[in-house]
Amino acid sequence: PSVFYLPCGDASFLVELQKRFQPNAAIGQDLFARPRAEFKGQFYQTDSADWSHVQGQEFDVITTISGVMAFDNLADFFSKANAHMKPG
């Protein structure tokens, strides 16, 4: 599966997903943190509202854990997530 996680902090959650499920694509995004060295995927250091680097891509999983509590515009986040979800 393909996974997009934002904000991902140091990508610890993505590292664990990679160990267990071996996603074919893992993308993390965070404004402040840097990914752990063992993270094997793409990382973008930018605001969670900026989805320009994944334009045209679709994902099996889009997740946020603690970030949803800090987003200024939840409707915008869910609209963007919906636009980038693979059908099904």
Side-chain angles (χ1 to χ4, degrees):
S2 55
V3 180
F4 182 34
Y5 176 32
L6 69 158
C8 71
D10 69 357
S12 293
F13 180 65
L14 288 172
V15 168
E16 293 305 314
L17 285 177
Q18 288 176 324
K19 288 178 186 176
R20 289 169 171 75
F21 301 105
Q22 302 167 346
N24 58 8
I27 298 176
Q29 175 176 318
D30 198 279
L31 183 58
F32 301 109
R34 301 294 302 159
R36 291 171 40 182
E38 63 266 39
F39 174 60
K40 306 297 183 228
Q42 294 175 297
F43 179 85
Y44 297 94
Q45 191 162 17
T46 186
D47 187 275
S48 294
D50 178 11
W51 291 48
S52 61
H53 49 279
V54 294
Q55 199 62 34
Q57 295 183 51
E58 292 183 327
F59 302 94
D60 297 300
V61 176
I62 298 173
T63 189
T64 183
I65 296 175
S66 61
V68 74
M69 296 181 293
F71 292 155
D72 291 330
N73 188 338
L74 282 176
D76 183 57
F77 170 80
F78 287 113
S79 176
K80 289 176 181 175
N82 186 54
H84 288 276
M85 291 297 297
K86 286 184 179 176

